Amino acid sequence: MRAASVWTSIVQVFNFFTHSSTGESDVAQKPLIPHTKPTSLSSNKIIPIVQDEFGQLRHGDRLMVQEYSSGMVYHPDDYQDVPLRTGGQERSFMFKEHPIVGTPKNGQEGEEGGLNCHYPYMKNWKSCYGPENRTCWLEATDGSGKRIDIDTDYENDTLVPQGKTRYFYFDISEQPISPDGMTMEHGKVFQRRYPGPWIEACWGDTIEVTIKNNLRWNGTSVHWHGIRQWETFQFDGVNGITECPIAPGETFTYKFRALQYGSACHYSLQYGDGLLGPITIYGPSTAQFGANEAFRPLLLSDWNHRSVFEDWPLMMSTGVAPEMTNILINGTGQFGWGPKPEKYTIWLDEGEAHMLILVNTAVDTTFVFSIDNHTLEVIEADFVPIRPYNTTHIKIGIGQRYHVLVHGHADGYKNERYGNYWMRATPARKCSKFAFGPDERMGIVRYNTTKPARGWQEPLSEPALYDTMCADEPYEKLVPWRTWTVGDPVNIDPTIQDPYTLPNNSQYIFNVGMISSGGPNTSDPYIPNDKPYTRWMMHEAPFRINFSDPTLLALDRINELIDKPYLDVVTLPNATDEQWVWMVITAPDKIPQEGGRIFFPAAHPMHLHGHDFALLRQSSKNWYDDLEIGHEGEGRWFTPDKLNCRNDRLKCNNPPRRDVVLLPATGYVIIAFKADNPGIWILHCHIAFHASSGLAIQIIENKDKIPEILGRHGDKERIEESCRSWREWQANPMNHWDWHHPDHFQDDSGV
């Protein structure tokens, strides 16, 4: 995908706290009844934030103020009585019978005490959140004993607290950036910053973000990775699927409710050039930690001094994946001789427990994260609270997120010379590719907050011995706190003899592989097309979307979409909220017959939009037989009549649950999700170059329910208007980077 192509600008969504508790709530959950009926997210129209001719931001006729650090936009009158920031120690209090919950942001990350979580519709509730009890969020003051806490079912929107709307406005633009001391000329950034501003909001808030695209050659869209987007599929931010790209010079507003609290992120090529930033959604936590001891998310990234738009055509022409150059933590690294940034540093308090959020925002690398001589207590994986476990290191695939507690040593300054420890992001073996070995010691943990006379010293600490082979965290350790019991699949007929005879659009087994596709004598839309190129795929053909004709606006032509193999449409049967969809994803190692699909053994982090999924099985053994070497594939254990919860090789009782899973090289995974979120969702590999090559499918869930949801408050008209602007911009060849060859505009899958 060259600089003329369009791709999703990533606002990485990193929500703060996880679930887990010291025990199940003994009070039955009941729907909340706010004392004042709030404006429903599904019924009110969006009023976008706009810039007037003087550069001032307005929300309708209201003149707004913008925080530079976060991009938050608000009207001063909204905060006359309820301050935007606590301005000191984290605290919780009531205001006019409306609870306000103070948040625990560490002072190193800005103003200590951070954001106020304000619930203006929650009369007769008070905060119960604090250093002594992080598992509770709000409790009723009427003596009923009702609580909103770590055991509350956040997938039930009636149980989630009703917060306020928080507005944000971001400009997307281009500029050179130098995160490691070397300049990359083709940076793409939010608000002229890399990483982008840290968005903060609270559990139950509605988040409304207006994006203005100032890129010269690129359209864009913003995907909020990991956010469930319950009944707001139209704001998932995938161009060609849920919207057209935002044309240069245009704006688009996304709106969704923070039903979850946890961490998230996303893919594409634009984010590889810098277009990403963190979000925190504050809420209850799985375990206790100290006052104001929560840090901003740690974004672990690989980095090149070339633009990904330069790497992509090189990959297509050579068939070899680009080699990465460096590692960054929160946009900070060091490279070469001469002046360079200080290594990313955090300060711990002796004897305190601290919250860290680890997020892999890499293009091509799985990381193993560790802090020398410290234990990590893992309490959340992606958006799912888990039973805590301790480890010296944690493996994080692209797009995955983990919440961990780091317990400061009682005498951290004396335990190690200078009181400093290395924070390491080690590339996993067989899931990384660097031109030369990067320095994995990309961060520092310090205890001494007073700068010594001789200046800060680098740590002398040594790492623990641990395995760096590419893999997910151990399956048996990822035990969700809130139990799910998975049901049998609604999309698999146990009476069929051969699952491969199913119509392609209702397939449930997906084989990841590579195929030679395109060329001058074919009708395939792939670019370049001077010859056949090898591309990744997992369904009928390498994926390629049409920016100007998003699937969401073409559902009345569903058969036309299905007939185009490169759109890779999978339709699910209409199902109820309690029914389950199962999918098998394989990475075959068998070399196929002439002309068939080939496979390069590699692990693939697979991400599903719109859902957390249950991981019923994850195996490094091959699914298929290879009789030439006497290998019997494990697929024989899972014929259609055996793909159910009666098969003791599948874990249906509270299996691991997440939204990104590592598909083992030559192995397979079996996943399941509830059919409770109608929409058009994409399932794709999180390695950016694989997704751009075509390793993705789109899933249409409960198609008949989509029009009613889309039509509730005029979103279809807004998307159609955005598409008209996009088509007008794209129709002018002078807007293309290679204007004398306008067919070069989209040379990748578009995701």
Side-chain angles (χ1 to χ4, degrees), residues 407-665:
H407 295 271
H409 294 312
D411 208 347
Y413 185 70
K414 293 181 180 179
N415 284 353
E416 184 72 34
R417 187 180 178 188
Y418 306 128
N420 305 325
Y421 302 79
W422 286 118
M423 187 161 49
R424 301 177 187 268
T426 305
R429 288 185 294 136
K430 297 186 178 181
C431 274
S432 59
K433 188 175 184 182
F434 286 82
F436 40 84
D439 186 357
E440 70 200 39
R441 302 169 302 175
M442 295 312 301
I444 299 175
V445 168
R446 302 187 189 275
Y447 284 88
N448 184 15
T449 58
T450 302
K451 188 173 183 179
R454 293 189 300 168
W456 296 115
Q457 302 297 309
E458 287 198 341
L460 299 176
S461 61
E462 296 291 335
L465 295 177
Y466 47 76
D467 172 35
T468 59
M469 181 61 71
C470 181
D472 268 338
E473 281 293 282
Y475 183 94
E476 64 278 2
K477 289 187 176 182
L478 302 178
V479 181
W481 178 262
R482 186 175 181 83
T483 299
W484 272 14
T485 300
V486 177
D488 287 343
V490 68
N491 61 318
I492 299 175
D493 182 352
T495 65
I496 64 172
Q497 298 299 312
D498 184 0
Y500 302 101
T501 63
L502 292 171
N504 283 335
N505 70 296
S506 60
Q507 181 178 333
Y508 68 86
I509 298 178
F510 300 90
N511 302 316
V512 170
M514 303 180 78
I515 193 168
S516 181
S517 56
N521 298 319
T522 70
S523 59
D524 294 333
Y526 306 118
I527 297 294
N529 63 355
D530 56 313
K531 64 178 183 179
Y533 286 84
T534 300
R535 295 177 169 90
W536 285 99
M537 62 177 288
M538 63 181 294
H539 188 212
E540 294 190 271
F543 187 61
R544 189 182 190 274
I545 57 177
N546 183 344
F547 293 138
S548 299
D549 189 19
T551 305
L552 186 61
L553 300 181
L555 292 179
D556 58 343
R557 297 181 276 116
I558 185 65
N559 291 331
E560 177 185 326
L561 303 181
I562 291 172
D563 288 342
K564 296 177 179 178
Y566 54 84
L567 291 179
D568 276 323
V569 174
V570 176
T571 57
L572 302 180
N574 287 338
T576 68
D577 290 354
E578 297 302 317
Q579 291 181 304
W580 292 82
V581 174
W582 289 28
M583 304 179 77
V584 178
I585 308 171
T586 79
D589 62 358
K590 180 181 178 182
I591 299 176
Q593 299 298 317
E594 182 68 24
R597 195 176 309 193
I598 61 175
F599 181 74
F600 177 79
H604 298 267
M606 304 301 296
H607 171 53
L608 175 64
H609 291 208
H611 294 275
D612 288 339
F613 54 74
L615 182 56
L616 306 183
R617 186 174 176 87
Q618 183 179 34
S619 175
S620 60
K621 304 296 184 181
N622 199 245
W623 178 267
Y624 294 100
D625 296 338
D626 190 343
L627 300 181
E628 292 182 7
I629 62 172
H631 170 73
E632 292 187 353
E634 293 187 355
R636 65 180 57 217
W637 299 341
F638 305 108
T639 52
D641 60 316
K642 297 176 183 176
L643 269 173
N644 54 59
C645 290
R646 294 179 296 280
N647 190 329
D648 59 10
R649 291 186 171 95
L650 297 170
K651 183 174 176 57
C652 290
N653 182 22
N654 203 29
R657 196 162 75 236
R658 57 189 324 162
D659 56 57
V660 182
V661 63
L662 200 68
L663 172 64

Side-chain angles (χ1 to χ4, degrees), residues 79-97:
Y79 294 95
Q80 286 181 346
D81 297 313
V82 182
L84 183 63
R85 305 282 170 178
T86 58
Q89 280 289 331
E90 123 187 37
R91 54 185 174 159
S92 302
F93 54 94
M94 297 282 290
F95 175 74
K96 292 184 178 178
E97 300 181 318

